[in-house]
């Protein structure tokens, strides 16, 4: 029985891991498509299809057959109250972080943008596949998403839109010497919502559902055949299309993340979204359980509440921000926050799910070992593509290839420069080559040595294998840090610094071997998989850019 439960836990976590790999692959596909494959106007057309047809059809078909006895009102109340409290907190933080003297409307706009980023979870684009992998597509926990999304659109979005409109109106009125009136602003927001396809789909789905309840005493279990075929065809297109669209929207979004000054706002927004909001949701679910259901909140419900809170920010935030008269820099920070929230949220979501789902270290090691084969295999392939592409196309010679961007730009801005401050293509690509070679060696070593093999090896053999893998991992990280914090050093000096840090980090663990194996070495091994996944995606993206 115990082995069957452990196998089920491992299968669930592996399903989640491969779901995140699929999501990341679609985001990467969208990024590459926007840069190399699709014409410039394609993004607006895909966005219109998603917002006007695909998502409304998915909402309508899901709400129309929603079974109300499956709704956990403790979760719904906790999520909505957490959104309201986080929104209020963001407005206050916006006032505190606005420089003085502040322009008219600046405090409200800063708070509204922070709130938009902190409470707009990607419920269906990311939440639907993730929660389906964890709990099953027909689970009652998945059904909560189709209650939370309509409530967010009907209650939270009007508040966000009103704050953005009020801030913009105050700024315009100050420039023209007038005064912003709240009444016309609210009426304008309500008029916009009245014609919003998402709101209309929610109302139509709710009307269909309640009509079935009034006629049969329960919600419909299926839509009429013709209507179901059409709505299903459109709704099924949403999950993949919205992820490709999100990848397209991320082009150029990494620029603000390369500056410490510009990084402050996205980092604050991600902290609110990925730390404050999940904790608030779980705490409120714990407190509201006895009030809503008359019993203590089940642990599984609390776990779902926290996992829901860790979902990355929805790309709808960028669409909303683009509709208002915000400064281009602010819109760029919103786009950067979306990218950063995915980089932080995906590993946090996987780790949180592992903590809640796995009941033993053996299960964690088994999941880590299976995931290792996929992540390091991708990393191995992508690094090889980078090195082969640079060699065959002459990218390592002084003339930089036209397709180099992203990672190369980041490393180039930190590396050597030409006269006048322009990035040196030779220095840039030399660092890219070193980084790819280090990652290639590390992924090869990790593929050859699994956590299970390391546990079963003799002490002397395990000591050597761990020293090799640990030093390579630290070398990759340290070289990146050296490039960032010491850009004037030569590539050779940065590589030597990385080697010294790797040796210093690995030596204490090896010296205390095997007493610290379980306390230090094994956790390092498991955590390295998340790092390998991020590196694999980054190198694959860069390899495709070179191609």
């Amino acid at each position: 029985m115990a082995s069957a439960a452990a196998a089920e836990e491992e299968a669930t976590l592996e399903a989640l891991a491969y779901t995140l790999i699929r999501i990341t692959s679609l985001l990467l596909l969208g990024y590459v498509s926007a840069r190399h494959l699709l014409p410039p106007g394609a993004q607006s057309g895909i966005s219109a299809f998603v917002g006007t047809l695909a998502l409304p059809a998915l909402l309508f078909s899901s709400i129309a057959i929603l079974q109300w006895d499956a709704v956990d009102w403790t979760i719904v109340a906790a999520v909505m109250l957490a959104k309201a409290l986080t929104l209020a907190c963001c407005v206050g933080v916006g006032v505190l972080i606005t420089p003085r003297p502040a322009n008219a409307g600046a405090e409200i706009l800063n708070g509204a943008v922070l709130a938009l980023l902190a409470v707009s979870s990607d419920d269906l684009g990311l939440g639907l596949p993730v929660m389906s992998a964890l709990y099953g597509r027909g689970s009652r926990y998945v059904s909560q998403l189709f209650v939370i999304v309509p409530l967010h659109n009907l209650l939270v979005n009007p508040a966000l839109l009103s704050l953005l409109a009020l801030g913009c109106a105050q700024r315009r009125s100050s420039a023209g010497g007038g005064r912003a009136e709240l009444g016309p602003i609210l009426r304008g927001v309500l008029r916009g919502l009245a014609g919003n396809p998402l709101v209309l789909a929610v109302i139509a789905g709710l009307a269909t559902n309640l009509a079935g309840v009034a006629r049969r005493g329960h919600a419909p279990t299926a839509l009429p055949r013709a209507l179901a075929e059409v709505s299903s065809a459109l709704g099924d297109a949403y999950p993949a299309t919205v992820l490709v669209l999100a990848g397209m929207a991320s082009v150029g979004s990494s620029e603000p993340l390369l500056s410490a000054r510009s990084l402050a706002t996205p980092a604050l927004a991600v902290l609110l979204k990925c730390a404050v909001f999940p904790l608030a949701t779980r705490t409120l679910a714990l407190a509201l359980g006895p009030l809503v259901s008359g019993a203590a909140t089940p642990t599984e419900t609390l776990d779902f509440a926290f996992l829901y809170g860790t979902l990355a920010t929805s790309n709808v935030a960028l669409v909303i921000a683009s509709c208002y008269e915000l400064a281009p820099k602010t819109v760029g920070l919103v786009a950067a926050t979306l990218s950063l929230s995915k980089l932080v949220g995906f590993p946090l979501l996987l780790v949180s799910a592992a903590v809640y789902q796995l009941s033993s270290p053996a299960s964690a090691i088994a999941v880590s070992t299976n995931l290792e084969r996929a992540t390091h295999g991708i990393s191995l392939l992508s690094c090889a593509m980078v090195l082969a592409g640079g060699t065959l196309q002459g990218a390592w010679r002084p003339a930089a290839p036209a397709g180099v961007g992203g990672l190369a730009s980041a490393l180039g801005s930190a590396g050597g420069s030409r006269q006048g401050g322009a990035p040196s293509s030779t220095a840039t690509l030399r660092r890219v080559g070193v980084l790819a070679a280090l990652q290639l060696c590390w992924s090869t070593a990790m593929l050859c040595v699994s956590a299970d093999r390391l546990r079963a090896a003799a002490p002397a053999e395990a000591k050597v294998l761990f020293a090799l893998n640990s030093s390579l991992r630290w070398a990759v990280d340290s070289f990146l840090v050296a490039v960032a914090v010491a850009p004037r050093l030569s590539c050779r000096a940065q590589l030597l610094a990385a080697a010294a840090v790797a040796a210093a980090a690995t030596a204490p663990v090896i010296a205390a071997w095997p007493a610290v194996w379980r306390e230090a070495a094994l956790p390092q091994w498991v955590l390295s998989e998340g790092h390998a996944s991020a590196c694999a995606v980054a190198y694959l993206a860069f390899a495709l850019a070179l191609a």
Side-chain angles (χ1 to χ4, degrees), residues 233-311:
L234 291 172
D236 289 347
Y238 174 79
T241 308
V242 74
L243 292 172
V244 171
L245 182 64
M248 296 174 69
S250 67
V251 173
S253 64
S254 62
E255 293 300 324
L257 302 180
L258 303 178
S259 166
R261 183 184 298 272
S262 300
L263 180 61
T265 299
L268 177 60
V270 170
L271 175 66
L272 291 167
K273 177 68 187 73
C274 294
V276 175
F277 181 61
L279 291 173
T281 305
R282 194 180 195 279
T283 302
L284 288 168
L286 178 64
L288 292 174
L291 299 176
V292 175
S293 62
T297 308
T299 302
E300 191 178 28
T301 299
L302 297 177
D303 296 346
F304 172 83
F306 185 87
L307 291 174
Y308 171 83
T310 62
L311 293 176

Side-chain angles (χ1 to χ4, degrees), residues 24-34 37 243-244 247-248 544:
T24 304
S25 301
L26 289 172
L27 291 170
L28 178 61
L29 178 62
Y31 179 88
V32 174
S33 298
L37 302 178
L243 292 172
V244 171
M248 296 174 69
L544 293 173

Side-chain angles (χ1 to χ4, degrees), residues 43-452:
Q43 183 175 338
S44 60
I46 297 174
S47 178
F49 167 75
V50 169
T52 307
L53 296 175
L55 181 54
L58 178 61
L59 285 175
F60 168 76
S61 59
S62 301
I63 295 172
I65 61 174
L66 180 67
Q67 304 302 309
W68 295 103
D69 56 354
V71 177
D72 190 330
W73 294 107
T74 299
I75 293 176
V76 174
V79 168
M80 299 311 299
L81 187 55
K83 285 177 181 283
L85 292 177
T86 305
L87 191 154
C89 175
C90 289
V91 172
V93 172
V95 173
L96 294 177
I97 66 174
T98 302
R100 301 292 189 273
N103 297 324
E107 295 176 347
I108 293 178
L109 283 176
N110 286 338
V113 169
L114 270 180
L116 180 66
L117 295 169
V119 303
S120 300
S121 298
D122 195 355
D123 297 336
L124 299 182
L126 177 61
L128 185 58
V130 165
M131 298 306 174
S132 297
L134 283 174
Y135 299 102
R137 184 64 176 86
S139 166
R140 69 187 185 93
Y141 290 110
V142 176
S143 300
Q144 313 312 312
L145 299 176
F146 295 105
V147 179
I148 293 171
V149 170
L151 289 177
H152 180 91
N153 283 304
L154 294 174
L155 300 178
V156 179
N157 271 353
L160 293 171
L161 298 176
S162 298
L163 287 172
L164 288 169
L166 180 60
C168 292
Q170 286 185 350
R171 187 174 57 189
R172 288 195 305 268
S173 300
S174 175
R179 181 182 177 184
E181 297 290 341
L182 185 59
I185 292 173
L186 292 177
R187 287 194 292 272
V189 169
L190 293 176
R191 279 197 300 270
L193 290 174
N196 189 305
L198 299 181
V199 175
L200 296 177
V202 168
I203 294 174
L206 187 60
T208 303
N209 188 295
L210 295 179
V213 171
R215 187 181 306 116
R216 306 181 190 88
H218 60 82
T221 56
L223 292 172
R225 177 70 180 273
L227 184 59
E229 291 289 339
V230 175
S231 60
S232 176
L234 291 172
D236 289 347
Y238 174 79
T241 308
V242 74
L243 292 172
V244 171
L245 182 64
M248 296 174 69
S250 67
V251 173
S253 64
S254 62
E255 293 300 324
L257 302 180
L258 303 178
S259 166
R261 183 184 298 272
S262 300
L263 180 61
T265 299
L268 177 60
V270 170
L271 175 66
L272 291 167
K273 177 68 187 73
C274 294
V276 175
F277 181 61
L279 291 173
T281 305
R282 194 180 195 279
T283 302
L284 288 168
L286 178 64
L288 292 174
L291 299 176
V292 175
S293 62
T297 308
T299 302
E300 191 178 28
T301 299
L302 297 177
D303 296 346
F304 172 83
F306 185 87
L307 291 174
Y308 171 83
T310 62
L311 293 176
T313 304
S314 171
N315 274 66
V316 173
L318 181 60
V319 176
I320 293 176
S322 302
C323 294
Y324 289 85
E325 301 168 5
L326 301 180
K329 181 180 178 181
T330 302
V331 177
L333 289 176
V334 171
T337 303
L338 296 179
S339 299
L340 185 61
S341 71
K342 292 178 176 63
L343 291 175
V344 174
F346 281 17
L348 178 61
L349 181 62
L350 184 59
V351 171
S352 301
V355 170
Y356 291 139
Q357 294 284 331
L358 296 178
S359 59
S360 67
S363 297
I365 293 174
V367 171
S368 174
T369 300
N370 291 332
L371 183 60
E372 172 189 321
R373 297 190 181 101
T375 56
H376 282 290
I378 296 172
S379 178
L380 194 70
L381 175 62
S382 57
C383 292
M385 289 173 63
V386 169
L387 295 173
T391 302
L392 296 177
Q393 297 185 20
W396 311 129
R397 294 195 292 270
V404 173
L407 179 60
S409 299
L411 293 175
S413 62
S417 58
R418 293 194 186 102
Q419 187 176 7
S424 166
S425 59
T426 304
T428 296
L429 295 171
R430 185 182 297 119
R431 286 161 174 77
V432 171
V434 170
L435 199 56
L438 288 173
Q439 177 73 17
L440 183 71
C441 294
W442 181 44
S443 292
T444 302
M446 288 292 285
L447 280 175
C448 295
V449 185
S450 67
D452 286 330

